[in-house]
C-alpha cells in the first residue's frame, strides 16, 4: 500500500512538473513576441531572463524529485523510471512525451536544434554570470554618463580599425564621407611630418627604450597599411590633421578633450577598456534621438 502511495505521489509531482514546463513555454513565447524587431539590446536581456527562468525551474524540479526519492525506499528500477520521466519533461518543447516513430530527417533536425539550444543556453548563462563583470560595470557607468548628456553609443566593429571607423562615422554625420583607410593614411602622414611631437611618447615594449627614427617610420607605415590598433597618439594626429576637436568619453575618468583650440563641434567617441577579449575598443557617440531615427 505504501508503495502505491509513493507511485501516486510521484505521478502527481510529474504531472505538475509537465504543467509548469508547459506554462513556462507559453511565458517564454510571450516574452519573445514582446521584443521589438531589431532591438538587439532587448533581445539579449530577454535571452538572459529566459535562461534564468529555465534554470530555476529545472533546478526546482530536480530538487523536488531528489527529495521525493530520498524519502522513499524504492528499488533501483524505480529511480531509473524517475530519471526517464525527468527527461520526458521538456521546457522548450511544450510536450510531455515523444513520438515512438520519428523519421531520420526529423531526428537530425532535433539533434541540431538541441545543439543550437545548448549553445544558446551556455552563452546566456555566461552572460548571466558576468552581469557584474568589469565589462558590464564599465558599460553601465558609461551609459549613465552619456545619458546625462542626451548621448548614446553607436557600436563599431572590433576589428582593429575601430578608432578610424568611429571617426569616419562621426564625419559622415556632417556629410563628410571619409573612409577608414583614408583616415589611417592621414594619421600616419601627419605623424611622419611632425615626428618631434610623437616620437618621445613611443617606447619599445621589449627594451623599454624610446623608438629610434627607423622604428617610428615603421610604426607609421603600420598605421597606414595594417589593422594596427589606434590610440591617444593617433587621435591627437587626426584632430590636428582634420582641424577638429575630439572628445573621448570613458567610464571612470573625466572626458578627454583633444584639439580644444579648434572652434568647431567636437567629434564624439567612447573608449572601452574591457569591451572585448583583446581589451581596448572605441565606439562612436551620437545623440540619443538619432538611435531611434536610424
Amino acid at each position: 500500500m505504501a508503495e502505491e502511495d509513493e507511485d501516486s505521489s510521484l505521478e502527481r509531482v510529474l504531472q505538475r512538473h509537465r504543467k509548469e514546463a508547459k506554462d513556462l513555454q507559453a511565458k517564454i513565447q510571450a516574452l519573445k513576441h514582446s521584443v521589438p524587431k531589431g532591438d538587439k539590446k532587448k533581445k539579449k536581456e530577454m535571452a538572459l531572463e529566459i535562461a534564468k527562468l529555465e534554470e530555476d525551474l529545472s533546478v526546482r524540479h530536480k530538487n523536488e524529485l531528489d527529495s521525493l526519492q530520498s524519502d522513499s525506499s524504492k528499488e533501483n528500477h524505480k529511480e531509473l523510471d524517475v530519471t526517464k520521466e525527468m527527461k520526458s519533461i521538456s521546457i522548450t518543447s511544450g510536450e510531455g512525451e515523444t513520438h515512438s516513430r520519428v523519421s531520420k530527417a526529423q531526428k537530425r533536425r532535433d539533434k541540431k536544434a538541441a545543439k543550437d539550444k545548448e549553445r544558446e543556453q551556455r552563452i546566456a548563462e555566461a552572460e548571466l554570470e558576468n552581469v557584474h563583470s568589469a565589462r558590464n560595470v564599465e558599460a553601465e557607468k558609461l551609459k549613465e554618463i552619456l545619458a546625462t548628456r542626451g548621448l548614446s553609443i553607436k557600436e563599431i566593429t572590433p576589428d582593429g580599425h575601430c578608432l578610424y571607423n568611429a571617426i569616419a562615422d562621426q564625419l559622415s554625420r556632417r556629410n563628410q564621407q571619409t573612409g577608414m583607410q583614408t583616415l589611417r593614411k592621414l594619421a600616419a602622414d601627419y605623424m611622419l611630418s611632425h615626428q618631434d611631437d610623437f616620437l618621445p611618447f613611443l617606447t619599445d615594449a621589449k627594451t623599454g627604450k624610446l623608438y629610434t627614427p627607423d622604428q617610428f617610420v615603421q610604426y607609421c607605415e603600420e598605421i597606414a597599411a595594417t589593422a594596427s590598433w589606434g590610440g591617444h597618439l593617433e587621435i591627437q594626429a587626426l584632430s590636428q590633421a582634420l582641424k577638429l576637436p575630439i572628445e573621448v568619453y570613458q567610464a571612470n575618468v573625466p572626458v578627454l578633450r583633444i584639439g580644444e583650440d579648434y572652434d568647431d563641434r567636437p567629434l564624439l567617441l567612447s573608449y572601452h577598456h574591457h569591451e572585448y577579449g583583446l581589451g581596448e575598443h572605441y565606439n562612436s557617440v551620437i545623440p540619443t534621438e538619432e538611435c531611434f531615427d536610424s
Side-chain angles (χ1 to χ4, degrees):
M1 185 68 178
E3 186 172 338
E4 291 180 1
D5 290 341
E6 290 169 357
D7 288 344
S8 176
S9 177
L10 173 62
E11 182 58 33
R12 285 197 299 272
V13 170
L14 292 173
Q15 286 179 356
R16 176 167 56 79
H17 285 187
R18 293 189 189 99
K19 182 179 184 304
E20 290 175 348
K22 187 174 181 180
D23 291 343
L24 179 56
Q25 174 61 14
K27 182 176 181 178
I28 288 173
Q29 292 302 319
L31 284 172
K32 289 181 177 179
H33 290 142
S34 69
V35 178
K37 187 175 181 180
D39 192 333
K40 294 182 180 179
K41 181 181 177 182
K42 282 289 185 183
K43 186 176 181 180
K44 183 177 179 181
E45 292 175 351
M46 179 269 296
L48 294 175
E49 183 177 353
I50 288 175
K52 182 74 165 55
L53 290 171
E54 290 180 339
E55 178 68 15
D56 288 348
L57 186 63
S58 178
V59 169
R60 182 163 62 80
H61 283 181
K62 184 178 185 304
N63 289 341
E64 288 180 359
L65 290 173
D66 287 346
S67 176
L68 192 62
Q69 282 187 236
S70 64
D71 292 340
S72 69
S73 57
K74 297 176 182 178
E75 299 295 332
N76 288 339
H77 71 276
K78 289 292 184 181
E79 294 180 2
L80 293 174
D81 286 344
V82 171
T83 301
K84 183 178 179 181
E85 286 291 347
M86 283 185 67
K87 289 182 178 179
S88 73
I89 301 173
S90 172
I91 294 175
T92 56
S93 68
E95 299 177 2
E97 299 178 357
T98 57
H99 296 292
S100 58
R101 295 182 180 180
V102 182
S103 69
K104 290 183 179 179
Q106 184 61 45
K107 287 181 179 179
R108 286 196 296 270
R109 288 193 292 270
D110 290 345
K111 186 176 181 180
K112 182 179 183 302
K115 286 184 178 180
D116 290 344
K117 173 158 183 60
E118 183 182 357
R119 178 177 175 276
E120 292 174 1
Q121 180 86 3
R122 288 199 303 267
I123 293 173
E125 288 174 355
E127 290 287 353
L128 197 61
E129 291 174 0
N130 289 329
V131 166
H132 300 296
S133 67
R135 172 187 174 184
N136 285 315
V137 170
E138 177 185 52
E140 287 302 313
K141 178 65 175 178
L142 188 51
K143 180 180 177 182
E144 291 175 7
I145 292 172
L146 294 175
T148 62
R149 296 167 169 81
L151 300 171
S152 294
I153 289 171
K154 179 183 177 182
E155 297 287 345
I156 300 297
T157 303
D159 56 3
H161 303 297
C162 59
L163 171 62
Y164 306 97
N165 280 324
I167 290 179
D169 177 75
Q170 287 287 301
L171 292 173
S172 71
R173 296 173 185 280
R174 305 183 184 198
N175 296 317
Q176 298 179 36
Q177 304 305 319
T178 306
M180 168 271 295
Q181 202 59 57
T182 299
L183 290 170
R184 277 189 168 278
K185 189 173 187 309
L186 190 64
D189 289 347
Y190 186 88
M191 292 176 73
L192 281 170
S193 62
H194 296 78
Q195 179 174 313
D196 292 343
D197 294 335
F198 298 95
L199 183 56
F201 299 97
L202 289 167
T203 57
D204 189 311
K206 294 180 180 179
T207 65
K209 296 181 179 179
L210 289 176
Y211 268 19
T212 65
D214 287 343
Q215 285 177 307
F216 180 74
V217 170
Q218 182 181 352
Y219 180 88
C220 293
E221 289 175 348
E222 289 176 355
I223 291 175
T226 72
S228 63
W229 187 83
H232 181 83
L233 293 181
E234 288 77 12
I235 294 175
Q236 185 176 342
L238 286 170
S239 174
Q240 298 290 331
L242 294 168
K243 300 189 183 306
L244 288 171
I246 297 176
E247 291 186 353
V248 184
Y249 289 87
Q250 303 178 59
N252 298 306
V253 297
V255 178
L256 175 65
R257 294 181 172 87
I258 299 172
E260 291 185 278
D261 293 340
Y262 297 114
D263 186 21
D264 205 334
R265 289 184 298 115
L267 306 179
L268 305 181
L269 308 177
S270 61
Y271 170 79
H272 309 254
H273 186 70
H274 303 287
E275 181 73 0
Y276 294 98
L278 294 177
E280 295 90 341
H281 178 67
Y282 287 95
N283 281 317
S284 177
V285 172
I286 63 177
T288 300
E289 61 266 21
E290 292 187 19
C291 294
F292 302 104
D293 296 337
S294 58

